Amino acid sequence: MPTERTSAGDPARTLHLLWRGSSPDRRRGPRRALSIDAVVETAGAIADAEGLDALTMRQVAKELGVVPMTLYTYVPGKAELLDLMLDAAYARMPRTDTGGRPWRERVIAVADENRALFERHPWAATVSTARPPLGPGQMAKYEHELRALDGLGLSDVEMDACLTHLLTFVQACARAAQDDSVMNDQQWWDLNAPLLARVLDPDSYPTAVRVGAAAGAAHGSAYDPDHAYTFGLRCVLSAFAALIDEAQRGRTPAP
């Protein structure tokens, strides 16, 4: 489950920072050595390298060569900083031009773009965006992704629901693929195979043993992230196809 969530800070201050409406750089007085962008970039680099658990305001300040209290004059706290980091990552995402292409290709492109985001920034997959950071990066991303589902007969609510379902699937795959263990899957199975062979009776669990053996032989482990993503995306596309067909048939005048 996600350990952090967006929009956990002060809403007004967060929105001002996201849209740079009250940037400290615009205040009167001596020119300041830092910028919000520099703070966000440094925080993102720490999270990319060490994860969100290692990200603290003190650590960001240390990397920037300032005392922690200086940092708080740019960003109120870690909650607001997380929103800025994620919105910046959204803004930098490559966006595939899928204009004129079939809807399945457009949806696949959206899924692949988000999967690539989580590969570049693994920490982003651990963040709940149920209340998204409503910054320029988020809004540009949302606009781009909705176009993959526009003009298919879906209602606006259905379009939003389909996109949410797709992105939740991709994020879940990204989280499942993150492995913090000291041994890989193959090493784990090799270590436990003798014990499993003694306790798993094929007569008691015939289906489980048969299917588990087949999946293990196919993937080299009980779980293959690439196969899970490809198979899951195929299921998502099939569900979307049924929904789109239903919507188009329901809105087409009977002969």
Side-chain angles (χ1 to χ4, degrees), residues 140-215:
K141 179 177 184 288
Y142 187 50
E143 175 71 21
H144 164 72
E145 293 171 348
L146 283 173
R147 291 175 184 169
L149 297 161
D150 201 15
L152 301 176
L154 299 172
S155 70
D156 290 348
V157 173
E158 289 170 335
M159 286 171 57
D160 178 79
C162 284
L163 180 58
T164 299
H165 181 71
L166 177 70
L167 299 185
T168 300
F169 158 73
V170 177
Q171 185 178 26
C173 285
R175 287 202 303 268
Q178 294 179 6
D179 182 12
D180 296 324
S181 68
V182 296
M183 66 178 71
N184 61 36
D185 285 348
Q186 188 60 57
Q187 290 171 327
W188 186 91
W189 283 106
D190 290 344
L191 182 64
N192 288 278
L195 173 62
L196 292 172
R198 290 198 301 271
V199 299
L200 292 182
D201 179 11
D203 293 330
S204 301
Y205 312 105
T207 309
V209 171
R210 186 189 81 240
V211 173

Side-chain angles (χ1 to χ4, degrees), residues 48 85-95 109-125 129 138 141 145 167 170-171 174 178:
D48 287 344
M85 290 164 54
L86 197 58
D87 197 70
Y90 289 163
R92 291 192 297 266
M93 286 178 67
R95 311 199 199 285
V110 169
D112 289 348
E113 288 163 2
N114 280 272
R115 192 186 192 203
L117 168 73
F118 295 134
E119 289 175 348
R120 288 191 300 271
H121 308 294
W123 57 268
T129 55
Q138 163 68 30
K141 179 177 184 288
E145 293 171 348
L167 299 185
V170 177
Q171 185 178 26
Q178 294 179 6

